[in-house]
Amino acid sequence: MDVTANRTAADLSRSTRRQWLVFTVLLLALSLGALHAAGVYGRSSALSMLEEQGRTEANLKVALLRAVLERPRALPFLLSRDRDVTDALTDNAQAKRRFLDRKLEELVAGTSAAVIYVIDASGIAISASNWREPTSFVGNDYTFRAYFSRAMQQGTAEHFALGSVSKRPGLYISHRIGPVDAPLGVVVVKMEFDQLEKDWRETQRPSYVVDAHHIVLITSIPSWRFMSTEPLPAESLAAIRESLQFGAAPLLPLPFERQAEGNLVRALLPGGGAETYLRITAPVASTPWQFEYLVPAGRAVAAGMREARLLTLLLLGAGAFLAALWLRRRQVARANAAREQAAREELERRVIERTSDLSRARDHLEAEIADHRMTETKLQATQQDLVQANRLAILGQVAAGVAHEINQPLATIRAYADNAKVFLGRGKSGPVLENLDHIAGLTERIATITEDLKALARKGRTAEEPVALRDVIDGAVLLLRSRFTGRLERLKIAPLPANLTVRGNRLRLEQVLINLFQNALEAVEAQDDGRVDVTVAVSERDIVLDVSDNGPGLPEAILAQLFEPFNTSKEKGLGLGLVIAKDIVSDYGGRIEVETNASGATFRVHLRKAGT
């Protein structure tokens, strides 16, 4: 019997070793495959996130570029119909041309154009805004310029080139003067993009615009100008050089090396080493240009792969532990069954030995149970760590809202500080002290906003309470006073019923009214009879506050997506004010409605009356 038991134990031992060997090989193969798949997924996810972020930033930059382009485009058209321009071309009197010189000089000072000049039908510039400068365009022959010949033939033209006199690059916008069968000449407006390129450089990410030949025209990296993103065919290169469009620029390819994957390129920046970038492209509407934006991808991709693989290792570790536990229990069960079988065979002869074996088996099982409980305790601790990490991630998202919430108090502080400097220069200490008191109060307000956002991160949103509507309106007007100095009298607030309170938080409700008042005042800013009326109506359960202006109203395109992020008609607006206002009012059980037509717009805010 002892020999049989020993043989059974040896067989079980060999089977156990084989099982653990197979388990180890399978786990190793699964781990390698999972880590590879995790790396691929992490890389793909990181690139997708980068592309989404880069696409948003690129669209914003393209919108800014379009705004810069659209402003001066109407100027050549208007000047082509100007009487002074026609007189200067039809009459050779120097007095009329000097008068036109001064007029063009004043127009340049009041617009974003770099230079404005008029060319007669023979291609000679007869008048220019830079007539006083040594590099004046007056008297120069421009028949070789495409913007002159195309405008004479087609009526209008736009041409980006390097200035033949100023040696500065820019966009030339031209318009024919007179009818097509008897043209008098061409008026030309040159735009330069120095400020736009400076704004792009502040992002520290390569941004540039290329034409139909893939030649860089506008760029945040000056040394890349007039280089190409694609190799130019020999015939195209010769034609461009012959036209002198880019002067003597060599038109060399940019230091790019395309990667095998998608839009990734390896680029060498001036003064730095080579780095991998995600190349984002977007067409520039109304032009044959294309905007390209390079987003650094190396670190983000490495981080995405690292995080995906770490998560995969954690999951594999948990799965391997559970599988090993199951395998171990199965082996223990088989061993126990073998021992019980041997014990039954020897039951009649070795009762004491059988009891001892059962005791050892019980002790072994108790040890396994203790190990299992310890493992469960470790898993619970790990889950708690993951919950804490999730809370920290939520706090990071909440912190992103601080910039927009404190923007208005910061703008008011800046205005009070500027006013204090003026009064200080005049020796008036009284207004200076008053402005400093206002600034101190506003800094306390910013601290309150920060604490409120911390509370929002902990609890979801600021707890509501009864708030005096008069205090909310007064607080909003106080923050807008310096922003609309001399124009706040357009804001007409109707008398409010006494002791009128609503459910909410004063600070957040003030933010709603600041957005509505500011939008209404900006809507009537260009009107001499501009007016903004604020009225309050009280019902059984609600208080309805109307903010009405007599401005031009809201366009259909804006109205359709009014409460969506980044939807704005303002050149420098972010499109977040009304989104935040709607969320705040919704948090306290209210809503915002909009009515608009050609004679103005009304924003109607429904708030719950306190005590209902």
Side-chain angles (χ1 to χ4, degrees):
M1 294 297 295
D2 291 339
V3 174
T4 301
N6 291 335
R7 186 181 297 112
T8 301
D11 292 340
L12 286 174
S13 178
R14 285 192 296 271
S15 175
T16 298
R17 286 196 297 271
R18 284 195 300 269
Q19 289 175 357
W20 282 115
L21 179 60
V22 172
F23 176 82
T24 302
V25 172
L26 290 177
L27 179 61
L28 181 60
L30 180 61
S31 299
L32 292 175
L35 288 175
H36 174 72
V40 173
Y41 173 79
R43 180 183 180 85
S44 175
S45 298
L47 288 176
S48 297
M49 292 178 62
L50 278 178
E51 183 170 6
E52 182 178 356
Q53 175 190 355
R55 185 72 59 186
T56 300
E57 295 175 358
N59 289 338
L60 291 175
K61 291 180 182 293
V62 170
L64 178 59
L65 174 60
R66 289 186 59 191
V68 171
L69 287 172
E70 291 301 327
R71 281 199 296 268
R73 275 180 167 167
L75 193 55
F77 172 77
L78 296 175
L79 288 174
S80 69
R81 285 157 174 74
D82 188 271
R83 174 64 63 184
D84 296 330
V85 175
T86 304
D87 290 346
L89 287 169
T90 56
D91 190 341
N92 293 331
Q94 284 297 112
K96 290 187 177 181
R97 294 189 176 183
R98 292 290 77 79
F99 177 79
L100 181 58
D101 285 338
R102 289 189 290 273
K103 182 173 183 177
L104 296 180
E105 186 178 29
E106 292 176 357
L107 281 176
V108 165
T111 65
S112 60
V115 63
I116 306 174
Y117 52 105
V118 176
I119 306 173
D120 64 15
S122 65
I124 304 300
I126 65 162
S127 181
S129 60
N130 62 354
W131 65 283
R132 299 179 189 271
E133 301 174 8
T135 57
S136 171
F137 292 179
V138 176
N140 291 335
D141 186 352
Y142 291 101
T143 53
F144 72 97
R145 283 300 196 185
Y147 59 77
F148 171 76
S149 57
R150 287 209 302 266
M152 291 289 286
Q153 296 172 3
Q154 303 172 12
T156 62
E158 292 187 3
H159 185 65
F160 194 100
L162 184 69
S164 59
V165 176
S166 65
K167 303 304 180 182
R168 293 178 58 82
L171 177 65
Y172 295 83
I173 306 173
S174 57
H175 199 286
R176 184 181 60 227
I177 305 168
V180 64
D181 54 347
L184 299 176
V186 171
V187 60
V188 184
V189 175
K190 180 183 180 182
M191 291 178 56
E192 295 180 358
F193 301 90
D194 294 348
Q195 184 59 45
L196 180 66
E197 291 179 337
K198 180 180 178 182
D199 295 339
W200 285 357
R201 279 195 292 273
E202 291 178 355
T203 64
Q204 297 181 349
R205 290 184 177 182
S207 308
Y208 53 92
V209 173
V210 298
D211 64 7
H213 295 289
H214 306 286
I215 297 175
V216 176
L217 305 179
I218 307 169
T219 173
S220 63
I221 303 177
S223 61
W224 284 8
R225 195 187 317 281
F226 300 150
M227 299 182 74
S228 63
T229 59
E230 302 286 346
L232 294 174
E235 59 273 13
S236 299
L237 184 61
I240 293 172
R241 285 178 173 167
E242 184 178 355
S243 70
L244 298 181
Q245 179 180 0
F246 304 118
L251 305 178
L252 297 175
L254 282 171
F256 286 179
E257 179 184 347
R258 291 185 178 274
Q259 303 295 299
E261 183 177 356
N263 295 327
L264 291 179
V265 296
R266 187 84 172 166
L268 180 64
L269 268 62
E275 188 173 348
T276 301
Y277 291 89
L278 180 64
R279 187 178 183 181
I280 306 294
T281 61
V284 181
S286 74
T287 72
W289 298 348
Q290 178 172 275
F291 176 78
E292 298 192 3
Y293 188 48
L294 300 185
V295 181
R299 295 182 180 178
V301 169
M305 295 175 65
R306 184 169 57 251
E307 291 175 2
R309 285 170 174 169
L310 179 60
L311 180 60
T312 301
L313 284 175
L314 291 175
L315 294 176
L316 282 174
F321 172 78
L322 294 175
L325 184 62
W326 173 83
L327 182 59
R328 178 58 182 166
R329 287 196 170 189
R330 184 170 179 274
Q331 293 171 350
V332 169
R334 290 184 62 190
N336 289 340
R339 284 192 291 268
E340 290 173 0
Q341 179 64 30
R344 282 194 296 270
E345 293 175 354
E346 298 182 5
L347 179 60
E348 296 178 357
R349 189 175 57 87
R350 302 181 59 184
V351 174
I352 296 176
E353 184 179 354
R354 178 177 176 277
T355 302
S356 178
D357 290 341
L358 290 175
S359 297
R360 285 194 299 271
R362 180 198 62 197
D363 294 340
H364 186 74
L365 287 175
E366 287 178 352
E368 290 289 337
I369 292 172
D371 290 342
H372 179 61
R373 288 175 179 172
M374 183 179 299
T375 302
E376 288 179 345
T377 302
K378 291 180 180 178
L379 286 176
Q380 290 175 357
T382 302
Q383 290 173 350
Q384 291 174 358
D385 290 342
L386 292 175
V387 169
Q388 180 63 20
N390 186 54
R391 290 176 180 168
L392 292 176
I394 293 173
L395 285 176
Q397 295 173 358
V398 171
V402 170
H404 194 276
E405 291 289 341
I406 68 174
N407 181 55
Q408 190 62 42
L410 284 177
T412 307
I413 287 174
R414 175 61 183 270
Y416 278 130
D418 290 342
N419 288 340
K421 288 169 63 178
V422 173
F423 285 124
L424 191 60
R426 296 175 181 175
K428 297 180 179 181
S429 60
V432 173
L433 294 176
E434 182 180 349
N435 284 338
L436 291 177
D437 289 338
H438 284 307
I439 290 174
L442 287 169
T443 56
E444 293 177 0
R445 186 178 194 84
I446 291 175
T448 303
I449 290 174
T450 306
E451 290 300 322
D452 184 63
L453 288 174
K454 289 179 180 178
L456 177 64
R458 291 191 299 266
K459 303 175 183 177
R461 65 178 177 88
T462 305
E464 64 181 35
E465 59 185 4
V467 178
L469 187 57
R470 178 79 261 177
D471 293 342
V472 175
I473 295 175
D474 290 343
V477 172
L478 173 64
L479 288 177
L480 291 173
R481 182 171 290 118
S482 59
R483 166 68 174 83
F484 295 95
T485 301
R487 293 171 290 165
L488 204 58
E489 66 275 10
R490 296 186 177 191
L491 185 65
K492 309 295 182 182
I493 302 176
L496 272 68
N499 302 323
L500 193 60
T501 58
V502 298
R503 301 296 299 177
N505 174 270
R506 174 180 172 179
L507 187 63
R508 302 190 79 201
L509 293 180
E510 281 182 9
Q511 188 67 28
V512 174
L513 296 190
I514 286 170
N515 276 306
L516 296 182
F517 289 172
Q518 177 174 288
N519 289 345
L521 288 169
E522 290 176 350
V524 301
E525 196 169 27
Q527 298 178 208
D528 294 334
D529 61 340
R531 179 185 178 96
V532 179
D533 293 306
V534 181
T535 59
V536 176
V538 182
S539 64
E540 181 179 354
R541 298 181 59 84
D542 292 342
I543 293 175
V544 182
L545 184 144
D546 286 359
V547 180
S548 305
D549 64 73
N550 62 344
L554 296 170
E556 289 294 332
I558 297 297
L559 186 62
Q561 300 175 331
L562 188 61
F563 294 102
E564 294 184 10
F566 307 112
N567 176 42
T568 179
S569 61
K570 302 176 185 177
E571 181 178 343
K572 295 184 178 181
L574 292 177
L576 296 175
L578 288 177
V579 178
I580 293 175
K582 180 183 179 183
D583 290 343
I584 292 173
V585 172
S586 299
D587 281 346
Y588 300 119
R591 66 184 188 278
I592 299 180
E593 299 172 348
V594 183
E595 295 179 1
T596 183
N597 52 46
S599 59
T602 298
F603 283 79
R604 182 165 292 118
V605 183
H606 294 260
L607 298 171
R608 288 192 298 131
K609 188 193 301 183
T612 60

